[in-house]
Amino acid sequence: MTDRRHDRRQFINAAGASIAAFAGAPELTALVQAEQAAPASGTSPDVVVINAKVYTMDPRAPRAEAFAVSGGRFVAVGSTSDIRNLAGKNTQTFDAKGMTVVPGFIDCHNHAGGEVLLNEVLVGNPFEVEFVSIRSIIGKLRERAQKTPAGQWVEGYFFDDTKVSDKRLINIHDLDEVSSEHPVIVRHRGGHTYFYNSKAFQMAGITKDTPNPMGGTYDKDASGNLSGRVTDLASAPFNKVGTRRTYTPAEMETRARDGVAHISKQFARYGLTSVHHEGGNLPAMQDVRARGELKHRISYEVQGRSLDAMITAGMQSGFGDEWIKFGATSEHTVDGSFSERTMALSYPYPNVTPPYKGNVTETQETLNAWVERVHRAGIQVNCHANGDVAIDMYLTAMERALKLVPRANARPKITHCTMLNPSLIARMKAMGAVPALFTTYAYYNPDKFVYYGEEFMKNAMAFRSLIDAGIYACAGSDFSPGPFAPLMGIQGMVTRRGWDGKTWGANQKISVSEAIAVNTYNGAWASGEEALKGSIAAGKLADYVVLADDPHTVDVEKIKDVQIVRTVVGGTISHQA
């Protein structure tokens, strides 16, 4: 998903204010002796957690019963008897009574749209599987249109074409029912397809005879008329027409801060302690942190003018602190979407007439130049590449850049990295690439897999193949395109079974331990922070999640329903059930 809607401040002002594939580790069985990093000056810990089933994700000590926290870090990990003895009179003791503790979950790709959740018309459920009717969508948009001046956009968010009870796409005629005086857009939650009414097409000057541009389409119905659906880069003309509500600077700041605070609470509720943000309002993030309302750590991924300013200033990935840090670039888009069936494939989509192979959104030459520029600046490169054609293009550009400017541990990030083959995997391994794959799709989106077929799905979201190759595959929910619940993602990785009971690509199943590692240690690896977080070990940040049940032992079909009892960031509770 690519989000171009945010109006960002100048980056410099904001900045001034502000072990081979661990997922393949052996089963976690042995309890270990306490490993300690003693609190300063011999003081007692702030908190001890005892009588827990601790899965540390540390291969040196994979299982424990207890740990101690001081100054926001783990200072000892071991048995309950060892850790209990460290407690002093001011130490808080949490008796887990057999509950499970894992490191805090890390989402390596998220469009954290808190402002949208709070303020816009949501025509679908952002967090769970829910079917809605086209009539309900029309009704919600019509209600907004009645409060909106003529000529101003009426917009709907979180549409999902396979979560419609009518079992068909929304179309231009449906949206004409909303209004003939307002341009109307319904945005697919995947971020690569859009649905418009006739007024919007008229204002944009698009007719049924308008040719498709490079990297996009104006879809037609069976009669050859505009259907209302527009894909990828073909949406550009619509962005230049109509008006949208404007806000004073003070209103914009309030909306941005409220949005960050809201989404941060949602992250904590689902057990996330670190999230890679695709851009967003950096000053608002800093303001929310200053107010004590930031409940998760941020790896801030930059694009556009912010990236240009970062390069000009000589700032590299890793600048910042343990709460807000500059990470990779925001996803640089090379092709279309998996969920919306526009990603670039080397062969035509099944059962599509005329033959269609998806959308490549950039030439190889342009991509080569962009990748080289970012890599030379010492910034972690990150590209959105879904289909095998786009992944090949990105790897080609990155291989060229690494040859021109060799750098160990560059860890180029591949966002989505959906359709793989052995050759692509070998090239990724050779350069130390970090793929951030869709996590919740296996459970949430099986109704889209039918458009690709079983043979395709054997090589899609290929966690098994990547882990077996020794690659640190990490979790990238891509919210809003997919829900961000880590436990939903873990269930899908383990079962490859969707909400509808159908299984796809079972050869790509991984174990519960591997899936937890994908969502914890591998996430830390993706941002070069594996020495700081991602496992429960003395000296690391005290980010962890307490679960009511053990994902290793519950019915695999119920992993997503395990209760998040407590989310803790730096030793501070960010969510408690």
Side-chain angles (χ1 to χ4, degrees):
M1 175 182 177
T2 304
D3 187 346
R4 301 180 178 86
R5 294 177 293 106
H6 292 289
D7 182 18
R8 298 173 179 82
R9 301 179 185 180
Q10 287 294 330
F11 172 84
I12 293 299
N13 293 337
S18 57
I19 325 187
F22 172 74
E27 286 300 312
L28 310 180
T29 54
L31 286 174
V32 297
Q33 295 299 313
E35 177 190 5
Q36 297 189 29
S41 306
T43 58
S44 57
D46 300 326
V47 178
V48 296
V49 175
I50 59 173
N51 295 322
K53 294 173 68 175
V54 183
Y55 294 89
T56 68
M57 295 297 112
D58 181 353
R60 301 167 302 171
R63 286 290 301 277
E65 294 175 329
F67 53 83
V69 174
S70 187
R73 291 180 181 255
F74 299 112
V75 293
V77 183
S79 68
T80 289
S81 59
D82 289 331
I83 300 302
R84 197 198 307 267
N85 290 335
L86 299 177
K89 64 179 182 179
N90 295 320
T91 300
Q92 295 181 16
T93 299
F94 175 63
D95 187 345
K97 297 180 180 179
M99 290 189 290
T100 295
V101 179
V102 298
F105 296 125
I106 300 173
D107 187 342
C108 292
H109 184 74
N110 196 297
H111 302 264
E115 287 183 68
V116 170
L117 293 175
L118 282 176
N119 301 301
E120 303 297 343
V121 178
L122 307 183
V123 299
N125 189 323
F127 305 117
E128 306 292 343
V129 175
E130 180 184 353
F131 280 72
V132 301
S133 70
I134 289 176
R135 295 312 311 173
S136 73
I137 296 172
I138 293 171
K140 287 182 177 182
L141 293 173
R142 185 180 287 160
E143 183 178 353
R144 177 59 63 93
Q146 291 170 352
K147 305 173 185 177
T148 303
Q152 192 174 110
W153 281 94
V154 173
E155 305 182 69
Y157 291 81
F158 286 95
F159 175 74
D160 189 323
D161 66 295
T162 59
K163 305 296 186 298
V164 179
S165 58
D166 305 72
K167 300 186 184 303
R168 68 170 177 83
L169 284 177
I170 198 166
N171 61 42
I172 191 170
H173 307 295
D174 299 319
L175 298 181
D176 284 347
E177 289 189 46
V178 174
S179 177
S180 60
E181 298 181 346
H182 301 81
V184 178
I185 175 176
V186 168
R187 300 175 183 273
H188 195 289
R189 69 178 299 163
H192 289 254
T193 58
Y194 316 87
F195 301 83
Y196 298 94
N197 69 344
S198 296
K199 180 69 171 180
F201 279 101
Q202 176 190 347
M203 293 173 68
I206 305 299
T207 72
K208 65 179 182 179
D209 299 319
T210 302
N212 291 330
M214 180 266 185
T217 62
Y218 302 114
D219 289 5
K220 311 294 196 303
D221 61 21
S223 301
N225 295 313
L226 291 167
S227 70
R229 183 176 185 261
V230 173
T231 71
D232 289 305
L233 300 185
S235 65
F238 297 90
N239 299 330
K240 301 173 184 178
V241 299
T243 61
R244 287 179 170 84
R245 182 180 172 184
T246 58
Y247 302 93
T248 67
E251 288 174 330
M252 291 175 64
E253 289 180 7
T254 297
R255 284 168 58 92
R257 284 196 303 265
D258 290 349
V260 172
H262 178 73
I263 198 72
S264 191
K265 290 177 183 177
Q266 305 309 310
F267 291 153
R269 182 163 67 98
Y270 284 93
L272 286 165
T273 58
S274 291
V275 176
H276 295 201
H277 283 236
E278 298 302 296
N281 192 311
L282 182 59
M285 297 174 195
Q286 295 175 104
D287 289 346
V288 171
R289 177 188 178 184
R291 297 193 309 193
E293 296 179 0
L294 188 63
K295 299 179 181 296
H296 70 287
R297 304 184 193 278
I298 294 172
S299 179
Y300 187 78
E301 300 193 338
V302 297
Q303 63 184 347
R305 290 184 300 170
S306 298
L307 177 60
D308 294 340
M310 191 172 174
I311 293 173
T312 300
M315 298 172 68
Q316 300 183 347
S317 295
F319 181 83
D321 62 17
E322 296 162 357
W323 280 96
I324 302 177
K325 183 178 295 186
F326 290 108
T329 66
S330 181
E331 58 176 326
H332 184 83
T333 305
V334 184
D335 72 339
S337 162
F338 172 85
S339 65
E340 297 153 278
R341 283 83 74 194
T342 68
M343 66 179 179
L345 301 178
S346 58
Y347 55 87
Y349 280 72
N351 304 314
V352 175
T353 304
Y356 174 67
K357 295 184 178 181
N359 298 331
V360 171
T361 57
E362 190 159 78
T363 66
Q364 186 70 58
E365 293 73 20
T366 301
L367 180 61
N368 288 348
W370 184 87
V371 168
E372 178 186 343
R373 178 171 177 255
V374 172
H375 176 68
R376 282 187 181 277
I379 298 171
Q380 185 181 13
V381 183
N382 175 23
C383 281
H384 160 123
N386 260 307
D388 57 339
V389 169
I391 297 169
D392 171 76
M393 289 176 64
Y394 178 33
L395 293 178
T396 297
M398 199 67 223
E399 288 161 346
R400 174 182 176 275
L402 285 165
K403 185 175 182 179
L404 292 171
V405 187
R407 187 169 80 245
N409 233 11
R411 300 186 188 180
K413 187 174 178 181
I414 310 178
T415 289
H416 310 322
C417 199
T418 300
M419 179 55 183
L420 289 170
N421 59 52
S423 174
L424 294 175
I425 291 173
R427 291 166 67 189
M428 290 166 58
K429 173 63 175 176
M431 71 172 63
V434 180
L437 277 64
F438 294 116
T439 51
T440 57
Y441 272 28
Y443 177 81
Y444 178 81
N445 264 334
D447 39 23
K448 297 179 178 65
F449 299 168
V450 67
Y451 294 101
Y452 294 98
E454 172 63 13
E455 287 305 309
F456 176 98
M457 292 308 300
K458 287 180 179 179
N459 296 293
M461 290 166 273
F463 284 104
R464 177 80 275 149
S465 297
L466 291 166
I467 289 171
D468 288 348
I471 293 173
Y472 290 86
C474 61
S477 73
D478 198 29
F479 183 80
S480 58
F484 55 68
L487 290 174
M488 181 191 291
I490 289 170
Q491 178 173 314
M493 294 174 202
V494 171
T495 67
R496 294 287 288 204
R497 189 174 301 121
W499 62 266
D500 58 1
K502 297 179 181 178
T503 300
W504 296 86
N507 60 303
Q508 294 297 342
K509 290 180 183 179
I510 59 177
S511 71
V512 171
S513 293
E514 290 170 329
I516 292 174
V518 165
N519 283 270
T520 57
Y521 185 86
N522 291 11
W525 177 273
S527 56
E529 297 177 283
E530 68 274 10
L532 187 66
K533 58 187 177 183
S535 59
I536 296 174
K540 287 195 173 185
L541 295 171
D543 299 351
Y544 60 93
V545 180
V546 181
L547 304 174
D549 293 296
D550 185 348
H552 298 80
T553 59
V554 299
D555 181 344
V556 292
E557 302 295 342
K558 297 181 179 179
I559 292 174
K560 70 179 181 62
D561 301 318
V562 171
Q563 183 184 35
I564 306 288
V565 175
R566 179 178 285 188
T567 304
V568 179
V569 184
T572 299
I573 298 171
S574 60
H575 166 78
Q576 184 154 303

